Amino acid sequence: MAQLRDQRSAVVGAQPVGGSARRVLTSLVPILADTLVIALATLLALVGRNSIPWFNNAASDLSGFVSVAVGWIVAGWVLALYSVGSYSPSLQLVGTDEYRRVVNASVITAAAVGIACFLLSFPLSRGFFFLLFVIGTPLLLARRLLARRWLHRQHRHGRVHRRVVLAGVPSRIADVLKVLRRERWLGYDVVGLLTPLGYENDVPGGLPVLGTPNEAACLNGDICDAVLFTEGAFDASGDFRQMAWDLEQSGIEMIVAPGLTDVSTERLAMRPVAGLPLVHVEPPRSQAALRFAKRAFDIAGAGTLLLLAGPLIVMSALVVRLYDGGPAFFSQMRVGLDGRPFRCWKIRSMVTDAEERLKQLQQQNEGAGVLFKMQHDPRITPFGRFIRRTSIDELPQLWNALKGDMSLVGPRPALPHEVARYEPHERRRLHVRPGLTGLWQVSGRSSLDWEDTVRLDLYYVDNWSMSQDLLILGRTARAVLRAEGAY
């Protein structure tokens, strides 16, 4: 270990090159991008005000008034975005908080512009004012969505990553390392470890031990961009506070991974009490997923989609019927809310004797846990393979959602023999209605192993929210169009 520290010291002696400039550039790019977006929204609002017949006659002096106010509006809007923290790097990867802050900043800007025009008796067109924020707010949201997708794509390909050193005891380091390696889209590249004395031989393989957590202040920008401290990194809170002071001038970000997993940010609230940072955790939200709002959304959504997809269901069923003369639809008993069985409907994608032939294929099972998976299942018909990849075979389950057996979004509906083999913690998947789609589907579908499927379903059950349902539905359309992980 002494040799590793000597090697590290040789690197630490060098000063970081370009770190400050890179951070400044990273901070300015989003601000400049938003400035251009708001300027574009101003132009579109000006054109729309003079072109849309719904408004009164075109204002000949509108351009003059806009040219006077546009600079103040753009600057004020960007300032509002900055003041609510929408440019914080920690918000640019996951979650909805970034989008929520954009909406809040837009509302603040609209209120400020309206009040200023009233107090200064400035005759700004109401049509222009309305169009500016109706166009500008969605454009700002779309800009962030596109930037996030681009960043995730770069991370998956090993570009634009952040070098991270993990600090803590090996057991907690291993847990965090597993998540960072699995979720490559986060962009964290672990380059080394800091462990307490005596743990050098227990660390995960393939990573160098650079020292102890107390030596994190010796790191600089040439080695890493951030240090992620896991549980057990320090023996006393005073050591942690001292480390925060020591890292203050280094330019290295300090990240803490508390002993909490699979808890959404909506359930967490940090409330410092007498200098003690207390993390309040709301109860799991499985009961909230059974309330009226979600059920009403399921009825409206399933009913609308069933009407729109009706012709496609009929045509697909006709093709299946003509192919081999067998039934067009296939029903199977599945386990729903609180373990209650129900009949789940699909367009038949397999041969008519698929259930009888299953026993012969058990030895070729490619799945793990309680699931049977086979990428080249010989029971699937040619047309069946197509409707599986496009998820057309699952459209009749809209009827199950309309009846209340299922939901539009939820865990995968399980077979009775699968539920019989569940571990106690896996039975929590049955606390909500199963869904036509869910986190498991938008995260890989059939390519996921059983452990990841359970993990995603339990996360959904414990952290349900309507905004998450809408996000999953949006990602489902994309996953279906790209046929990601379906077979």
Side-chain angles (χ1 to χ4, degrees), residues 107-309:
V107 172
I108 292 172
T109 305
V113 171
I115 293 173
C117 289
F118 173 77
L119 293 178
L120 300 175
S121 300
F122 188 80
L124 187 67
S125 166
R126 287 172 293 180
F128 169 79
F129 176 86
F130 172 78
L131 288 175
L132 175 63
F133 292 98
V134 167
I135 295 173
T137 304
L139 284 180
L140 288 171
L141 294 172
R143 200 280 296 170
R144 279 160 173 76
L145 178 61
L146 293 175
R148 180 177 291 190
R149 289 185 175 178
W150 177 86
L151 195 58
H152 289 175
R153 189 177 298 112
Q154 298 302 308
H155 290 164
R156 289 191 182 97
H157 290 86
R159 298 188 292 265
V160 198
H161 58 262
R162 301 176 68 196
R163 299 163 300 162
V164 176
V165 170
L166 300 183
V169 295
S171 59
R172 290 295 298 138
I173 285 178
D175 292 339
V176 175
L177 183 61
K178 180 181 178 182
V179 174
L180 298 184
R181 285 178 170 174
R182 181 183 67 217
E183 310 294 344
R184 296 294 301 172
W185 58 273
L186 289 172
Y188 290 113
D189 182 19
V190 180
V191 296
L193 309 175
L194 299 172
T195 62
L197 293 175
Y199 289 97
E200 297 87 348
N201 298 325
D202 300 326
V203 299
L207 291 171
V209 177
L210 304 179
T212 67
N214 290 318
E215 297 175 303
C218 297
L219 302 174
N220 64 25
D222 282 344
I223 297 176
C224 65
D225 302 305
V227 180
L228 196 159
F229 293 93
T230 66
E231 190 177 11
F234 297 108
D235 295 329
S237 58
D239 296 336
F240 193 88
R241 180 182 59 185
Q242 182 63 48
M243 182 55 60
W245 292 344
D246 294 341
L247 288 174
E248 184 178 9
Q249 302 299 327
S250 67
I252 295 177
E253 184 179 1
M254 188 176 186
I255 307 173
V256 180
L260 295 171
T261 58
D262 294 327
V263 180
S264 67
T265 55
E266 287 82 0
R267 290 175 55 202
L268 298 177
M270 177 72 74
R271 297 187 179 94
V273 178
L276 183 65
L278 299 180
V279 179
H280 292 250
V281 183
E282 293 182 5
R285 296 180 174 178
S286 60
Q287 293 303 310
L290 303 178
R291 293 175 183 165
F292 175 77
K294 181 172 173 63
R295 183 68 191 123
F297 179 75
D298 286 338
I299 292 174
T304 302
L305 292 174
L306 197 58
L307 289 175
L308 295 175

Side-chain angles (χ1 to χ4, degrees), residues 307-461:
L307 289 175
L308 295 175
L312 182 58
I313 295 174
V314 172
M315 288 188 294
S316 299
L318 182 61
V319 173
V320 172
R321 179 71 175 177
L322 294 176
Y323 177 76
D324 57 10
F329 295 95
F330 170 76
S331 67
Q332 192 177 46
M333 293 304 298
R334 298 273 177 155
V335 180
L337 176 65
D338 295 329
R340 293 193 293 267
F342 70 97
R343 190 164 292 279
C344 181
W345 289 93
K346 287 187 175 185
I347 300 175
R348 183 170 59 87
S349 60
M350 292 187 172
V351 295
T352 54
D353 60 342
E355 292 295 315
E356 292 75 12
R357 295 171 60 179
L358 177 61
K359 296 181 180 179
Q360 306 172 8
L361 300 172
Q362 285 293 345
Q363 294 183 348
Q364 303 179 49
N365 184 11
E366 300 172 2
V370 302
L371 299 180
F372 176 85
K373 295 181 183 180
M374 191 172 177
Q375 186 167 1
H376 302 289
D377 194 327
R379 301 173 299 162
I380 303 176
T381 64
F383 183 70
R385 195 168 299 279
F386 167 74
I387 60 176
R388 276 180 169 236
R389 291 187 64 83
T390 56
S391 296
I392 294 175
D393 65 318
E394 298 178 356
L395 289 177
Q397 292 172 23
L398 290 168
W399 174 247
N400 289 115
L402 196 61
K403 289 173 54 182
D405 297 327
M406 296 179 64
S407 174
L408 290 178
V409 183
R412 173 187 174 273
L415 293 165
H417 71 84
E418 294 174 350
V419 175
R421 297 168 57 191
Y422 275 4
E423 298 291 335
H425 73 281
E426 295 170 352
R427 297 191 66 85
R428 188 165 179 80
R429 301 172 75 242
L430 306 178
H431 284 202
V432 299
R433 291 183 179 86
L436 278 78
T437 185
L439 277 177
W440 58 273
Q441 187 173 33
V442 299
S443 303
R445 301 172 79 177
S446 297
S447 61
L448 291 177
D449 59 26
W450 174 244
E451 181 181 353
D452 283 336
T453 300
V454 172
R455 177 180 58 82
L456 291 171
D457 282 345
L458 294 184
Y459 180 90
Y460 175 83
V461 172

